[in-house]
């Protein structure tokens, strides 16, 4: 069948402003939006720029706004969308070209929460013990693929680009709730800053946007509670 | 017009930021000024898609030993693996798995709090008696956890990254490595990295095939670059097809699904593996299962007579699927609209893993055609051929390979580079890279890269996949030769410097074309069937004539083949039954 696709395009070397381009592409209802983008690129206009790699929702390359919602182009099927399919870059990051956004700021915030295991204890010969229950405690936030869909769907982030954003908080949560980690004292001050978790207004856009089904809002709530408990102590 | 050039000097450059590259970077950066160059942002690397697990004889849930692991690996590889390398890998596997845990990797746990382990194809106890639980896993996201954990450690160690830099060339001077040339995707500039040592970890090249589990970006760039510089590629005829790719899409369903009890069934509902591998059944090695599937389909026993079969998980406890295989359940629902709790999953073999690649020794040092070390050049991970996988890799052994040899290469480099000198660079080191780029962007030949890629992938799928014949291989070779000529006329429409992804795709096509060529030439030459290389016209393994590795070298525009002996230590070749 033929599908109408409208793409917001921006060529940094030529365009002062983004512009809309329309394409009519051959696609199966069970194709991914990524397949349609590839068809545009391979059959209509080779200069269309977007990131992609795995094509099955694991590498986090192709988060973009599709029919008004942030999703991975490789994880949404044409049959599940109402035509025309309208595709824009994620909102809130500088656009580098077409659907490619500059994610340097996003990754800088990720790094700022010290996203690595912090522990003073010397490692034993074999594994550090951890019960299945302790492991389960942070299971949800281990799934994050750093796609940026949550942060760029968050009105608090749109209002203030200094805000750490849900993705960085999810990454902090992954370690704060790991029984093997002792880095809370280093991480919590970053989360407690003015640009930290308190900017979250519990709007739930992030949770809806997350292609990995992470309960992002819940994770942020748990980090907030941890901060409150710390300050009471 | 030549592009702007930017120059850097480092002690070590690691190309690739998957499991192998990051592991090497962690070691190298301990003693050397190190840069990691990767065309993808590190966490987008394909290691992140590995599902099932990493094999190590921890013996956490039942007795196990690294010797059994070694035996399984050698037998699984149809006796083509170098046994000294396999021995080293299987011993080290235990240590690296603990090391990953210490870095924070969230493995699934046993009730006693140890790393949990599950069954995987070809892994057995007591030298083949019965399946053993050896695969250490984190749900069906083991690769994701490895990639994230290693990247986290790189952040902690403040490793320098050049993200979205595409390798174009390796600089060799008097048989030594002097650095690399790369394209910065964001700006279009050419960057020259002058280095004492370079480690390539650029991953596999499944994109030669139409149906593959591999990412769009797995185009074997590192292998191609050294091949074009006259270094050999080893065992290119061995490419693994994984039995369970989602029908038509190729997306992988981990062998862990069968490890948890999943069963393959044909159109009559039969568990056909009973006829092909009576002991290991659905958990026989991948080459055998994929062949069995092709035969079932060919004999009309596909589902409704079509070219796919069923992977049945419906008899499993639904909570096992939800806890241990959540991502594949999600894939099946998303892409097929199938509920794995209640419906079988349509599957077909999918191009999965390159056993061949850049020849290296145990220390990940690259070897030339005569088996001499190329000083300063290292390779590890799927792009390398140590060879630990021989003619067919066992599941969970690639993740072992990437961390063991990534680490080993990084360590070796960290010892060697501080005392070495920077070789003087050739006068215009970037000239070959510049020429290649301007050829693609100024050519008016009118050929479409997408069209050529389609034709290549179809030819490879039809003739150079699970079953091969002389006639079919010759047909594929003729097609590839033609496609390479047409590639010389490829026209990249986008002339922009910034994020020119059309240019990048054209570069990648050039790589898969060369590797498909080497694969087909090597497959045509090997007149026997061994592991993943199955010649219908030579159906038996022929140890008298073919118990040897192949080396393919590009010389004066043609490929010449030579042989390299196999190292056999503990296990003499035997018939391979399961
Ligand atoms: C779906 C799937 C599931 C798998 N599951 C398992 C499993 O359960 N167990 C197991 O043992 N194995 C598994 N494998 C195999 C295993 O995951 C891979 O073989 C392994 O991860 C490869 O790692 P690597 O570090 O060599 O390369 P990759 O992780 O592929 O990384 C390659 C790196 O090279 C970079 N690169 C490539 N070309 C260039 C260039 N031109 N310039 C700059 N950088 C470049 C990329 O950016 C990337 O960072 C699976 C494979 C797939 C496809
Ligand atoms: S939390 Fe979800 S949406 Fe946010 S970056 Fe991680 S995977 Fe993407
Ligand atoms: S391409 Fe990897 S998440 Fe979509």
């Amino acid at each position: 069948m033929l599908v109408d696709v409208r793409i917001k395009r921006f060529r940094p070397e030529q365009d002062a402003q983004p512009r809309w381009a329309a394409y009519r592409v051959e696609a199966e209802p069970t194709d991914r939006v990524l397949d349609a983008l590839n068809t545009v690129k391979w059959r209509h206009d080779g200069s269309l720029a977007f990131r992609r790699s795995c094509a099955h929702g694991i590498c986090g390359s192709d988060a973009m706004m599709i029919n008004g919602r942030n999703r991975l182009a490789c994880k949404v099927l044409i049959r599940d969308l109402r035509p025309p399919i309208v595709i824009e870059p994620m909102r809130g990051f500088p656009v580098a070209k077409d659907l490619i956004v500059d994610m340097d700021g996003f990754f800088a915030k990720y790094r700022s929460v010290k996203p690595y295991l912090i522990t003073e204890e010397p490692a034993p010969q074999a594994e550090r013990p951890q019960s299945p229950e302790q492991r389960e405690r942070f299971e949800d936030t281990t799934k994050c693929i750093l796609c940026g869909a949550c942060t760029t769907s968050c009105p608090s982030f749109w209002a203030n680009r200094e805000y750490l954003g849900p993705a960085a908080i999810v990454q902090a949560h992954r370690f704060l709730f790991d029984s093997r980690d002792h880095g809370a004292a280093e991480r919590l001050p970053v989360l407690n800053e003015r640009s930290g978790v308190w900017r979250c207004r519990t709007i739930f856009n992030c949770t809806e946007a997350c292609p990995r089904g992470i309960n992002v809002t819940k994770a942020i709530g748990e980090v907030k509670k941890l901060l409150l408990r710390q300050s009471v102590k | 017009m030549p592009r702007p050039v930017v120059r850097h000097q480092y002690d070590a450059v690691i190309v690739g930021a998957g499991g192998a590259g990051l592991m090497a970077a962690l070691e190298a950066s301990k003693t050397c000024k190190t840069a990691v160059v990767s065309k993808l942002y590190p966490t987008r690397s394909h290691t992140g898609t590995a599902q099932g697990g990493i094999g190590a004889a921890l013996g956490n849930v039942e007795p196990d030993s690294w010797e059994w692991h070694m035996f399984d690996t050698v037998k699984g590889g149809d006796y083509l693996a170098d046994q000294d390398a396999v021995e080293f890998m299987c011993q080290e596997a235990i240590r690296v798995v603990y090391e990953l845990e210490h870095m924070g990797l969230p493995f699934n746990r046993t009730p006693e709090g140890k790393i949990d382990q599950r069954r995987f194809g070809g892994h057995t106890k007591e030298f083949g008696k019965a399946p053993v639980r050896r695969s250490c896993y984190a749900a069906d996201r083991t690769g994701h956890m490895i990639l994230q954990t290693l990247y986290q450690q790189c952040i902690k160690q403040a490793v320098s990254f050049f993200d979205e830099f595409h390798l174009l060339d390796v600089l060799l001077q008097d048989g030594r490595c002097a650095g690399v040339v790369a394209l910065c995707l964001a700006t279009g500039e050419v960057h020259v990295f002058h280095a004492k040592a370079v480690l390539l970890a650029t991953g596999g090249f499944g994109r030669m095939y139409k149906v593959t589990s591999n990412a769009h970006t797995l185009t074997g760039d590192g292998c191609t670059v050294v091949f074009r510089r006259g270094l050999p590629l080893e065992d290119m005829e061995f490419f693994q097809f994984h039995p369970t790719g989602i029908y038509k899409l190729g997306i992988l369903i981990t062998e862990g699904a069968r490890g948890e009890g999943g069963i393959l069934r044909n159109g009559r509902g039969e568990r056909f593996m009973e006829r092909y591998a009576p002991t290991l059944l659905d958990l026989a090695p991948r080459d055998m299962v994929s062949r069995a599937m092709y035969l079932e389909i060919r004999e009309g026993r596909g589902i409704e007579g079509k070219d796919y079969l069923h992977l049945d998980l419906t008899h499993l406890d639904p909570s096992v699927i939800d806890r241990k295989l959540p991502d594949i359940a999600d894939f099946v629902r998303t892409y097929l609209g199938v509920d794995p709790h209640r419906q079988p999953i349509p599957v077909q073999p999918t191009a999965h893993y390159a056993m061949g690649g850049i020849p290296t020794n145990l220390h990940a040092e690259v070897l030339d055609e005569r088996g001499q070390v190329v000083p300063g050049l290292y390779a590890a991970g799927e792009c390398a051929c140590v060879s630990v996988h021989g003619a067919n890799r066992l599941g969970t052994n690639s993740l072992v390979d990437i961390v063991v040899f990534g680490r080993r290469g990084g360590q070796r480099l960290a010892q060697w580079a501080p005392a070495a000198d920077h070789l003087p660079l050739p006068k215009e080191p970037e000239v070959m890279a510049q020429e290649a780029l301007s050829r693609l962007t100024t050519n008016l030949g009118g050929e479409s890269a997408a069209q050529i890629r389609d034709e290549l992938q179809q030819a490879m799928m039809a003739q150079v996949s699970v079953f091969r014949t002389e006639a079919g291989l010759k047909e594929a070779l003729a097609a590839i030769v033609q496609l390479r000529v047409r590639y010389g006329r490829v026209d990249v429409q986008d002339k922009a410097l910034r994020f020119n992804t059309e240019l990048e795709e054209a570069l990648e096509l050039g790589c898969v074309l060369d590797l498909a060529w080497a694969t087909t030439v090597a497959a045509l030459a090997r007149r026997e069937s061994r592991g993943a290389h199955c010649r219908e016209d030579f159906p038996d393994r022929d140890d008298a004539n073919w118990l040897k590795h192949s080396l393919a070298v590009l010389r004066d525009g043609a490929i010449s083949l030579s042989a390299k002996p196999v190292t056999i230590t503990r296990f003499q070749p035997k018939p391979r039954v399961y």
Side-chain angles (χ1 to χ4, degrees), chain B residues 340-405:
Chain B
H341 292 162
R342 290 183 296 118
Q343 295 159 280
I345 307 165
V347 290
Q348 78 184 127
T350 182
H352 186 59
Y353 185 84
M355 269 72 72
I358 306 166
T360 71
N361 63 18
L362 273 185
H363 312 296
E365 294 166 325
V366 171
L367 304 175
D368 68 13
E369 204 182 352
R370 292 161 302 140
Q372 303 294 314
V373 169
V374 180
L377 188 59
Y378 301 76
E382 193 170 337
C383 72
C385 178
V386 187
S387 129
V388 281
H389 309 302
N392 172 61
R393 171 173 75 80
L394 289 191
T396 79
N397 268 356
S398 175
L399 293 178
V400 182
D401 174 4
I402 65 176
V403 288
V404 167
F405 291 102

Side-chain angles (χ1 to χ4, degrees), chain B residues 305-478:
Chain B
K306 295 208 192 113
D307 57 340
Y308 67 94
L309 295 153
H310 274 151
L311 173 63
D312 186 359
L313 307 181
T314 56
H315 54 289
L316 301 185
D317 179 347
S319 79
V320 168
I321 299 181
D322 297 342
R323 270 185 308 113
K324 298 191 171 174
L325 305 164
D327 275 2
I328 65 132
D330 180 40
F331 299 154
V332 170
R333 287 193 190 102
T334 305
Y335 298 109
L336 297 172
V338 161
D339 175 2
H341 292 162
R342 290 183 296 118
Q343 295 159 280
I345 307 165
V347 290
Q348 78 184 127
T350 182
H352 186 59
Y353 185 84
M355 269 72 72
I358 306 166
T360 71
N361 63 18
L362 273 185
H363 312 296
E365 294 166 325
V366 171
L367 304 175
D368 68 13
E369 204 182 352
R370 292 161 302 140
Q372 303 294 314
V373 169
V374 180
L377 188 59
Y378 301 76
E382 193 170 337
C383 72
C385 178
V386 187
S387 129
V388 281
H389 309 302
N392 172 61
R393 171 173 75 80
L394 289 191
T396 79
N397 268 356
S398 175
L399 293 178
V400 182
D401 174 4
I402 65 176
V403 288
V404 167
F405 291 102
R407 178 167 174 268
R408 186 74 197 115
Q411 286 170 341
R412 189 74 167 186
L413 186 159
Q415 288 165 357
W416 183 83
D421 297 326
H422 275 94
L423 280 187
L425 280 178
K427 208 159 140 265
E428 281 179 69
E430 68 283 0
V431 69
M432 267 191 37
Q434 290 273 21
E435 275 172 18
L437 296 172
S438 55
R439 201 176 337 112
L440 286 166
T441 44
T442 54
N443 200 325
L444 296 176
E447 285 284 356
S448 138
Q451 180 64 33
I452 295 177
R453 187 176 46 231
D454 266 5
E455 291 179 32
L456 173 74
Q457 291 172 338
Q458 297 205 20
M460 291 297 287
M461 201 71 200
Q463 310 292 6
V464 200
S465 55
V466 172
F467 284 112
R468 301 162 174 189
T469 62
E470 172 147 341
L473 289 167
K474 282 190 168 152
E475 203 178 296
L477 187 57

Side-chain angles (χ1 to χ4, degrees), chain B residues 548-571:
Chain B
K548 57 191 182 190
H549 300 289
S550 73
L551 294 178
V553 180
L554 186 60
R555 210 174 274 124
D556 305 322
I559 292 177
S560 67
L561 292 175
S562 57
K564 179 181 157 184
V566 177
T567 307
I568 293 173
T569 56
R570 288 168 181 245
F571 303 111

Side-chain angles (χ1 to χ4, degrees), chain A residues 63 72 106 143-151 166-168 170-171 206 209-214 216:
Chain A
L72 299 173
F106 174 81
K143 296 186 307 204
C144 175
I145 53 175
L146 294 164
C147 68
C150 52
T151 298
V170 161
Q171 289 290 335
C206 51
C210 180
R212 301 291 286 148
I214 298 171
V216 182

